[in-house]
Amino acid sequence: MKILIVDDERAIRNSLSEIMADEGYSVDTAENGRAAVEMAEKEHYDVVFCDIKMPEMDGIEVLEKLKEDGVDSEMIMISGHGDISTAVDCIKKGAFDFIQKPLDLNRILITVKNATDKTALVKETRILKKKVFGQQMIGESPAMTHIREMIGKVAATDARVLIMGSNGTGKELVARSLHQQSKRSSMPYVEVNCAAIPSELIESELFGHEKGSFTSAIKQHKGKFEQADGGTLFLDEIGDMSLAAQAKVLRVLQERKLSRVGSDKDIEVDVRVIAATNKDLRAEIEAGRFREDLFHRLSVIVINVPSLDERKSDIPLLVDYFVDQICSESGMKRKQFSSEAVGRLQEKSWTGNIRELRNVVERLLILGGEVISAEDVGLYV
């Protein structure tokens, strides 16, 4: 944990610095606000102690500037001239705490511990979010730039989105990005793989059931629509859903209410539905396997995710990303891919798309040399 101490009084800086160093923290000091801002914008500090009364740039200005610039250090404001209104103002502007001089050792240590605990919790939350929301959308090709622009325009609305593309192209990443950038981002994000649920169970899974509504219904169960209330429901592989379930989904989209299996009571739900498929739904409609009215309800916005063969210029970026991700997750030593090796990967046809590329990168990291060569690609891919 790193701490920055900002005070124009040398004695205060030295005293606080010694206390923090004795507690095992790494400490830097700044004698004025401008120097503190420069340091905090170049180096990450978990906690910043900042005096309020300083010449040129006071502590309140430092606090406002760092928050404005997105610096996420926890700010502890200190002052010998403070009052309740000053303390309240600091907290409103984003400070973690306010301590009056003369400084009390126990108060300082408790406050720092609480601030560092919060910092650790924020970091843990970010890691968990990465695990929950998975990989990032990597790529600078025209196709990926277009998708990002589409997401930017559509995410803030409640418009239903149909995401189309082959297996392994990253349709679920588009869905997650739409949720994360929406006004529903703090509410539930629920995924359903329609192809993985038996047709006789899909209605119970989506709409829930009442106790005793069928043999194994030993208790009441809330379906995915109810679980996603207020948030986003992602219906993956919607083209594999039974016609009976399609009819019920259509009713929910039209009326914004559902009834659980075994009940005639209506339950209102507020859910944004995003669907995805690797099938040609118009062909499925012609074959009588997909409802045309449901297709039109789902496809207010259509986003087509390109295959990897359509965006090969993104392969170098994807390789770098997967190398970092795989080595970080497994503790494996990081290896470099030669430009020739990357070139060979760009020449290949990727029928399995991004998912296949990731598997190939992992295989080469395990089996290849210190630097992954074109020969390694030829041998193991």
Side-chain angles (χ1 to χ4, degrees):
M1 292 284 185
K2 292 202 70 172
I3 292 178
L4 175 63
I5 296 166
V6 190
D7 201 302
D8 59 332
E9 295 183 48
R10 183 192 297 270
I12 298 290
R13 292 199 307 273
N14 292 344
S15 175
L16 266 177
S17 180
E18 288 175 9
I19 291 169
M20 294 299 105
D22 287 344
E23 293 297 316
Y25 297 108
S26 175
V27 185
D28 288 336
T29 62
E31 63 182 1
N32 60 62
R34 297 195 186 281
V37 169
E38 289 180 9
M39 293 171 71
E41 290 182 343
K42 289 178 182 176
E43 178 107 23
H44 173 73
Y45 294 96
D46 298 286
V47 176
V48 176
F49 275 97
C50 188
D51 188 26
I52 291 180
K53 295 290 184 180
M54 292 186 293
E56 294 187 37
M57 188 177 197
D58 67 29
I60 300 291
E61 292 173 311
V62 173
L63 171 64
E64 291 174 334
K65 176 64 175 169
L66 293 183
K67 294 300 177 184
E68 179 186 323
D69 293 347
V71 175
D72 59 359
S73 306
E74 295 299 337
M75 300 285 294
I76 299 173
M77 311 305 292
I78 53 179
S79 177
H81 311 282
D83 54 28
I84 295 297
S85 62
T86 305
V88 170
D89 188 42
C90 288
I91 300 301
K92 282 183 177 179
K93 293 179 186 298
F96 178 78
D97 205 350
F98 177 92
I99 301 178
Q100 279 190 291
K101 296 177 182 176
L103 302 176
D104 176 81
L105 177 59
N106 289 332
R107 173 75 190 279
I108 290 170
L109 295 180
I110 290 170
T111 303
V112 170
K113 183 181 184 307
N114 290 340
T116 53
D117 283 349
K118 181 183 175 184
T119 301
L121 186 60
V122 168
K123 286 180 180 177
E124 185 179 344
T125 301
R126 285 176 183 160
I127 292 169
L128 286 172
K129 279 186 176 179
K130 285 183 179 179
K131 289 180 179 178
V132 170
F133 288 108
Q135 301 168 355
Q136 303 171 31
M137 290 179 60
I138 304 297
E140 297 176 356
S141 62
M144 291 306 295
T145 300
H146 176 67
I147 285 178
R148 286 197 187 89
E149 289 173 353
M150 288 276 287
I151 291 171
K153 291 176 180 178
V154 175
T157 74
D158 272 338
R160 298 184 194 103
V161 181
L162 178 63
I163 306 167
M164 305 184 74
S166 304
N167 286 334
T169 52
K171 298 186 293 296
E172 68 280 4
L173 299 186
V174 176
R176 288 169 182 167
S177 293
L178 285 165
H179 174 73
Q180 285 179 289
Q181 295 180 42
S182 76
K183 60 188 178 184
R184 297 173 180 263
S185 60
S186 62
M187 300 302 285
Y189 173 81
V190 178
E191 291 187 33
V192 181
N193 187 334
C194 300
I197 304 171
S199 58
E200 62 270 16
L201 295 178
I202 187 72
E203 291 183 40
S204 171
E205 191 69 18
L206 289 176
F207 312 113
H209 61 250
E210 296 293 343
K211 180 180 178 181
S213 56
F214 50 88
T215 305
S216 59
I218 58 175
K219 62 180 180 180
Q220 186 189 74
H221 168 69
K222 285 186 177 182
K224 299 298 186 183
F225 270 95
E226 282 187 81
Q227 293 173 31
D229 191 28
T232 303
L233 178 65
F234 176 45
L235 298 175
D236 198 8
E237 305 301 350
I238 187 81
D240 292 283
M241 183 181 286
S242 68
L243 286 169
Q246 289 177 36
K248 289 200 171 185
V249 169
L250 180 64
R251 178 189 177 236
V252 177
L253 297 183
Q254 289 173 330
E255 302 178 11
R256 295 180 176 268
K257 54 189 177 183
L258 58 85
S259 56
R260 298 181 187 138
V261 176
S263 171
D264 56 4
K265 178 185 176 183
D266 284 335
I267 299 170
E268 291 189 1
V269 288
D270 171 24
V271 176
R272 184 190 193 175
V273 173
I274 299 173
T277 183
N278 63 355
K279 293 185 175 182
D280 181 348
L281 290 188
R282 293 194 180 277
E284 294 295 299
I285 291 168
E286 289 293 324
R289 292 188 293 266
F290 201 84
R291 295 180 62 111
E292 186 173 9
D293 47 5
L294 177 58
F295 172 77
H296 291 303
R297 286 280 177 180
L298 293 172
S299 59
V300 176
I301 303 292
V302 177
I303 297 179
N304 289 293
V305 184
S307 67
L308 186 54
D309 285 344
E310 296 175 291
R311 45 176 291 220
K312 287 189 174 181
S313 61
D314 288 330
I315 286 178
L317 291 174
L318 286 162
V319 169
D320 283 344
Y321 175 74
F322 288 139
V323 168
D324 286 339
Q325 185 187 60
I326 293 164
C327 292
S328 174
E329 289 176 356
S330 65
M332 192 185 304
K333 181 183 176 183
R334 198 187 192 285
K335 294 182 180 180
Q336 297 292 327
F337 277 64
S338 70
S339 57
E340 294 79 13
V342 174
R344 289 286 295 272
L345 293 176
Q346 287 180 292
E347 292 169 5
K348 186 182 182 307
S349 178
W350 296 94
T351 55
N353 294 296
I354 310 296
R355 193 174 296 141
E356 182 186 4
L357 176 62
R358 188 191 189 283
N359 291 342
V360 164
V361 170
E362 186 170 11
R363 186 187 311 148
L364 289 168
L365 287 171
I366 294 169
L367 300 176
E370 286 297 310
V371 175
I372 308 300
S373 65
E375 289 74 20
D376 290 324
V377 175
L379 191 59
Y380 300 118
V381 179

